[in-house]
Amino acid sequence: MPSPRTGIRPLETGLVDQLELDGPTARPGLTRARSAGTTYIRFSLDWRAIAPAKRPPRFNPRNPSDPAYRWGGVDAQIRNIVDFGLQPIVTLTGAPAWGRLPNGLADPKKFAQFAEAATQRYRGGKFPLVRYWQVWNEPNHPGRPELKTEVAAWYRDLVNDAAAALHQVDRANEVIAGGCSPFTTETAVGPLFFMRQLFAAPVHFDIWSHHPYTSGGPTHHANGNDDVSLGDLSEMGSLLRSQIRAHNALSSRKIRFWVTEFAWDTDPPDPKGVPVGLQSRWTAEALYRMWAAGVSTVVWWRLRDEPLRTSFYQSGLYFESWKPKRTLYAFRFPFVAFQDNNKVFVWGRAPAGRPERVAIEQSSGGAWRELGTLSTDQFGIFSQIYTTSDGGPLRARLLDRGDTSLPFSLQVPPDQFFVPFGS
């Protein structure tokens, strides 16, 4: 049985949904994102969409005011996010033809010039401040088998050059590396193998991230030895810490461990997704398991389902109709309870990670009976062990606001296989 409060650290949450959190749906989407208790909105800034398709003769790639750059849509997107009191996580990705190496990968030196221009523009003042910059998306998945042997060394140069540029503009900038896909495939390197190759020489960054998609429940292990699903995050965390001790993972501050993309599809609407009741339980437990593995920020993939007839993605906190799923409540106010004989360990995070006073209650004889009350830590995290002989589900209730978590059953469902994105 876990011990209460094993490590005082936050669990912040975010969302990534380029469809709902940009353009005409941005403001209602951001309203819902904030009500879900999120701190961050992650989105991709594609170099190809900002830079000219052909490099002009007098183009200055380090200068964000160069007339060849096209920032307009990004300005509006970042301003909307900041206006709602949320923090942007900007994933720098893509490369125009003139910004690529002969093998088709982005040229690290030219990419760093683009990163410098981006952070120069969004350093506060005339344009909003962006503090969090993720270098590429799923770099261990280059998409072509012949590149698998090259990507780790390439990505080391990409991160080091981008980090130098981002930190030179502002030492307070946070550089996120990793963001790895979870599985070894014909066109992807397993994330643990990728890390061992990457850290063959020093890499400078502030946050390591991963995308631990899982074809089962919150404790499910990936099949491959070098793959990382939810059940393998502690192994990735151990490898990261070993590289920090070896001075191969370098930062001027404490390196943190984040999950910058994760979800399961639900049934409904996806007939091959996880039944929504089970998925809501898995969501609460996944947030706990990630936190217990050392993760301090989790970004959920999609605010709202896309149409099943046209998309693979039905992992939203809302159905396509904007009806909230049970998932929303598990994400906003995660709470878990695990029984061992007559002892029950409980853990939760108050909405938005705010300090609260909490009552722990158990269903007994058709009513809710209080087991005890407690105060969260400064990050809204709480945990405790109670004695109870009942077998009914438990829930957490905020004493000052009356908000309650979803009930969490003490009956543990068996692990089941589901493709993360269903059909």
Side-chain angles (χ1 to χ4, degrees):
M1 177 173 288
S3 300
R5 295 194 178 177
T6 52
I8 305 299
R9 63 180 178 280
L11 178 68
E12 296 181 305
T13 56
L15 282 163
V16 53
D17 193 325
Q18 206 89 353
L19 292 177
E20 299 299 338
L21 301 176
D22 189 17
T25 62
R27 298 191 75 81
L30 290 165
T31 299
R32 291 180 171 94
R34 186 166 181 175
S35 69
T38 57
T39 300
Y40 302 101
I41 301 297
R42 177 181 167 234
F43 71 94
S44 293
L45 200 168
D46 193 321
W47 184 12
R48 292 165 296 189
I50 306 302
K54 293 184 177 181
R55 180 170 174 151
R58 297 184 179 180
F59 177 55
N60 182 356
R62 290 190 173 91
N63 179 9
S65 299
D66 190 290
Y69 274 132
R70 305 179 297 274
W71 301 99
V74 183
D75 292 346
Q77 187 171 13
I78 294 176
R79 197 175 302 280
N80 277 334
I81 293 168
V82 172
D83 284 350
F84 275 82
L86 299 166
Q87 289 267 10
I89 300 172
V90 177
T91 301
L92 298 172
T93 189
W98 54 266
R100 299 176 195 165
L101 299 170
N103 61 9
L105 297 171
D107 184 309
K109 299 296 183 188
K110 294 175 182 176
F111 182 85
Q113 293 173 348
F114 172 62
E116 180 180 339
T119 194
Q120 286 279 12
R121 188 173 185 88
Y122 302 115
R123 63 183 305 184
K126 183 179 179 181
F127 299 101
L129 173 68
V130 173
R131 184 63 74 210
Y132 297 92
W133 300 92
Q134 182 166 337
V135 181
W136 215 257
N137 182 65
E138 301 189 346
N140 62 318
H141 192 178
R144 286 162 40 203
E146 67 272 18
L147 293 178
K148 290 174 66 175
T149 58
E150 303 178 40
V151 289
W154 161 76
Y155 189 61
R156 186 189 310 122
D157 290 341
L158 195 77
V159 172
N160 282 337
D161 289 349
L166 291 162
H167 286 147
Q168 183 177 10
V169 172
D170 190 336
R171 292 299 303 171
N173 279 334
E174 302 270 6
V175 177
I176 306 170
C180 294
S181 65
F183 306 121
T184 305
T185 69
E186 182 182 354
T187 57
V189 181
L192 294 180
F193 185 76
F194 178 76
M195 288 178 72
R196 291 192 293 270
Q197 290 183 309
L198 179 69
F199 293 121
V203 188
H204 296 260
F205 61 93
D206 306 302
I207 297 164
W208 180 262
S209 75
H210 184 58
H211 301 166
Y213 287 106
T214 304
S215 56
T219 60
H220 187 87
H221 293 279
N223 290 332
N225 290 336
D226 289 317
D227 298 350
V228 178
S229 288
L230 280 175
D232 311 297
L233 281 172
S234 59
E235 186 177 355
M236 175 173 274
S238 295
L239 177 55
L240 175 62
R241 290 189 295 273
S242 73
Q243 297 306 316
I244 293 170
R245 290 192 298 269
H247 304 292
N248 291 324
L250 297 171
S251 175
S252 61
R253 62 207 78 169
K254 183 178 180 181
I255 292 176
R256 285 161 286 163
F257 188 16
W258 284 14
V259 164
T260 49
E261 192 178 304
F262 178 76
W264 290 281
D265 268 22
T266 61
D267 175 17
D270 185 340
K272 294 187 179 181
V274 184
V276 70
L278 177 61
Q279 192 251 27
S280 62
R281 177 194 173 94
W282 280 4
T283 296
E285 186 174 346
L287 290 167
Y288 164 66
R289 298 290 180 187
M290 287 188 264
W291 178 86
V295 171
S296 57
T297 292
V298 176
V299 179
W300 189 264
W301 173 254
R302 294 302 167 101
L303 175 66
R304 179 167 72 143
D305 289 348
E306 292 186 47
L308 182 62
R309 64 187 179 277
T310 60
S311 172
F312 287 105
Y313 305 127
Q314 288 78 47
S315 59
L317 301 180
Y318 290 84
F319 292 105
E320 187 185 353
S321 65
W322 281 120
K323 178 183 176 181
K325 298 180 184 178
R326 286 174 62 86
T327 315
L328 171 65
Y329 307 108
F331 180 79
R332 179 176 179 271
F333 190 175
F335 173 78
V336 299
F338 305 116
Q339 189 172 40
D340 184 4
N341 295 319
N342 66 338
K343 302 290 186 182
V344 175
F345 168 81
V346 302
W347 175 94
R349 189 209 69 160
R354 299 191 188 100
E356 299 277 1
R357 294 188 307 129
V358 181
I360 306 301
E361 301 174 332
Q362 185 171 28
S363 179
S364 179
W368 289 100
R369 177 175 65 92
E370 186 176 288
L371 295 182
T373 63
L374 48 80
S375 295
T376 72
D377 66 19
Q378 66 266 40
F379 302 120
I381 302 291
F382 59 92
S383 61
Q384 191 55 272
I385 294 174
Y386 294 98
T387 300
T388 176
S389 58
D390 286 338
L394 281 79
R395 73 180 186 184
R397 178 173 57 86
L398 303 185
L399 288 170
D400 296 330
R401 291 193 279 156
D403 212 349
T404 59
S405 71
L406 292 178
F408 196 89
S409 173
L410 295 176
Q411 307 304 312
V412 180
D415 194 9
Q416 302 172 51
F417 177 83
F418 292 96
V419 177
F421 296 117
S423 59

